[in-house]
């Protein structure tokens, strides 16, 4: 009799756990997931986060409820901490710039190598090819699941003092850069006086006139942030490209059911394809974004390929130093793809 009771109990436990396993499929869901975005809600970068949260909620019938922390609210003023927040599960999702994640993953500095990526076409090929795959593997190995590439864009120079058309024009200009060392190296090599600052603080510094200039893409940052209120001169020089990655903490990801993982992945790919297109619109196939700058009183100067030579030559030692830091194999692979797509 006792034996029989024990058998019944064992069977009951087995049955219950298989039922629970079937229902939950995975771990416990959070009532709310936090997403980090450095910029505000305007523009394709900020808007992508709003669309992603909306679609995800709808498609998972409220199981995955994302709250967006725009303007760097989640990392409380230190944007180079964003990746670590995801690793720790303090943040769940991030629409992260590769620049902000590069202190933790040095290979992501690839895109910040001065004058390396010549075009959007080359960038797409690098991301789709072996270098892009390798970078996603490196991100995942550090316990953040990369869902899709997005784009901040080619970074352009602005300042409040005068036109910059040759390296000598940068001499003495105080330029705000992101807290990632390759940017300090690049602007020092060009003769400027670079200072590290988070994006939020930087905008206050422009208003107060304590910093002269900065570098950021036109469509995703300069226009939505209305930088013409503090900056007058723009130099288009495409000196670095800044891809975004929509990533999710592995801790959060592992708890999602197989069905929800697939919804998250597909929605991320869809939204970031839209985001990437938006980041290029008005600059790639039309001049709309540049016209907006001019209408707001900015002077837009496009460096010719010949002018660029002087900037390239000055930053060559930075390129060589960072090629070693990043790893020669990855850099050579990216260079080869870029050369083939020119
Ligand atoms: O801080 C910047 O310059 C920005 C908004 O482009 C990044 O997050 C890298």
């Amino acid at each position: 009799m006792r034996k029989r009771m024990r058998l019944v109990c064992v069977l009951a436990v087995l049955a219950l756990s298989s039922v629970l396993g079937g229902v939950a499929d995975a771990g416990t869901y959070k009532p709310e997931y936090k997403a980090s975005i450095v910029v505000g809600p305007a523009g394709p970068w900020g808007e992508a986060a709003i669309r992603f949260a909306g679609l995800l909620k709808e498609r998972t019938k409220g199981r995955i409820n994302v709250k967006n922390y725009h303007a760097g609210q989640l990392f409380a003023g230190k944007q180079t901490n964003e990746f670590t927040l995801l690793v720790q599960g303090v943040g769940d999702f991030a629409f992260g710039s590769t620049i902000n994640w590069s202190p933790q993953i040095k290979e992501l500095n690839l895109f910040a190598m001065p004058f390396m990526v010549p075009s959007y076409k080359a960038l797409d090929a690098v991301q789709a090819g072996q270098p892009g795959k390798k970078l996603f593997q490196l991100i995942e190995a550090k316990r953040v699941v990369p869902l899709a590439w997005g784009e901040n864009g080619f970074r352009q120079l602005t300042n409040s003092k005068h036109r910059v058309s040759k390296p000598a024009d940068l001499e003495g200009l105080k330029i705000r850069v992101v807290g990632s060392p390759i940017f300090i190296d690049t602007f020092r090599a060009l003769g400027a006086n670079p200072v590290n600052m988070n994006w939020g603080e930087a905008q206050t510094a422009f208003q107060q006139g304590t910093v002269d200039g900065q570098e950021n893409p036109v469509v995703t940052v300069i226009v939505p942030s209305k930088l013409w209120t503090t900056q007058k001169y723009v130099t288009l020089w495409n000196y670095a490209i800044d891809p975004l990655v929509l990533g999710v903490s592995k801790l959060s990801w592992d708890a999602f059911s197989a069905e929800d993982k697939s919804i998250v992945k597909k929605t991320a790919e869809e939204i970031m394809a839209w985001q990437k297109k938006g980041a290029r619109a008005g600059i790639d196939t039309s001049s709309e974004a540049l016209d907006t700058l001019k209408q707001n009183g900015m002077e837009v100067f496009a460096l010719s390929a010949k002018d660029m030579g002087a900037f390239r030559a000055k930053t060559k030692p930075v390129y060589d130093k960072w090629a070693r830091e990043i790893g020669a194999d990855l850099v050579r692979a990216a260079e080869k793809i870029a050369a083939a797509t020119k």
Side-chain angles (χ1 to χ4, degrees), residues 4 8 71 78 136 171 180 193 242 336:
R4 225 200 191 159
V8 169
K78 191 145 171 56
F136 266 25
E171 235 151 76
S180 164
N193 172 16
D242 182 10
K336 218 169 140 192

Side-chain angles (χ1 to χ4, degrees), residues 51-300:
R51 289 181 178 234
F52 181 68
L55 271 180
L56 216 51
K57 191 170 181 177
E58 186 189 309
R59 291 177 179 175
T60 62
K61 307 202 165 48
R63 290 189 297 279
I64 301 180
N65 187 18
V66 177
K67 180 168 178 201
N68 285 320
Y69 290 78
H70 280 101
Q73 292 167 76
L74 194 61
F75 48 69
K78 191 145 171 56
Q79 62 197 69
T80 45
N81 278 347
E82 190 177 64
F83 188 81
T84 305
L85 289 185
L86 289 190
V87 173
Q88 295 166 341
V90 175
D92 302 290
F93 292 91
F95 295 74
S97 152
T98 42
I99 297 174
N100 295 329
W101 293 7
S102 63
Q104 287 83 31
I105 300 172
K106 66 178 189 327
E107 290 84 354
L108 286 177
N109 282 297
L110 180 69
F111 301 107
M113 292 276 278
F115 304 101
M116 190 183 84
V117 177
S119 62
Y120 290 122
K121 203 172 155 205
L123 172 68
D124 291 342
V126 167
Q127 286 175 348
Q130 206 45 45
K133 292 197 180 86
K134 170 89 188 159
L135 292 169
F136 266 25
Q137 281 163 8
L138 291 168
I139 293 171
E140 186 142 10
K142 297 224 158 143
R143 307 191 61 76
V144 171
V145 179
L147 298 167
W149 290 106
E151 200 153 289
N152 189 2
F154 278 110
R155 299 180 73 90
Q156 319 296 1
L157 185 70
T158 71
N159 82 93
S160 59
K161 298 288 185 202
H162 52 243
R163 175 191 300 178
V164 174
S165 63
K166 54 188 186 304
D169 298 330
L170 270 168
E171 235 151 76
L173 282 189
K174 198 166 170 185
I175 305 289
R176 175 270 174 179
V177 294
V178 192
S180 164
I182 190 172
F183 289 92
I184 291 278
D185 286 355
T186 300
F187 280 85
R188 280 219 182 109
L190 289 171
N193 172 16
V195 281
N196 274 170
M197 228 176 245
N198 290 296
W199 182 235
E201 289 168 64
Q203 291 173 88
T204 311
F206 307 146
Q207 272 154 20
Q208 292 170 344
T210 50
V211 168
D212 305 315
Q214 64 87 47
E215 45 73 61
N216 250 302
V218 173
V219 178
T220 44
V221 178
I222 298 180
V223 171
S225 312
K226 299 190 166 54
L227 279 196
W228 48 78
T229 58
T230 58
Q231 307 277 289
K232 180 161 171 64
Y233 300 91
V234 185
T235 301
L236 303 177
W237 61 342
N238 289 7
Y239 90 108
I241 181 79
D242 182 10
L244 305 180
V245 175
L246 171 49
V248 54
S249 170
K250 183 106 171 49
L251 294 168
S252 319
W253 176 256
D254 283 346
F256 294 152
S257 69
E259 184 198 355
D260 284 343
K261 277 183 183 144
S262 144
I263 296 174
V264 170
K265 175 81 179 152
K266 276 200 198 108
T267 307
E269 283 170 353
E270 201 178 302
I271 290 294
M272 294 316 262
W274 172 86
Q275 190 281 332
K276 213 179 201 199
K277 219 168 143 195
R280 294 177 187 185
I283 197 137
D284 189 16
T285 49
S286 89
S287 61
E288 196 190 321
L290 298 179
D291 292 343
T292 303
L293 301 185
K294 289 177 196 158
Q295 279 153 19
N296 284 287
M298 291 184 111
E299 190 213 85
V300 180

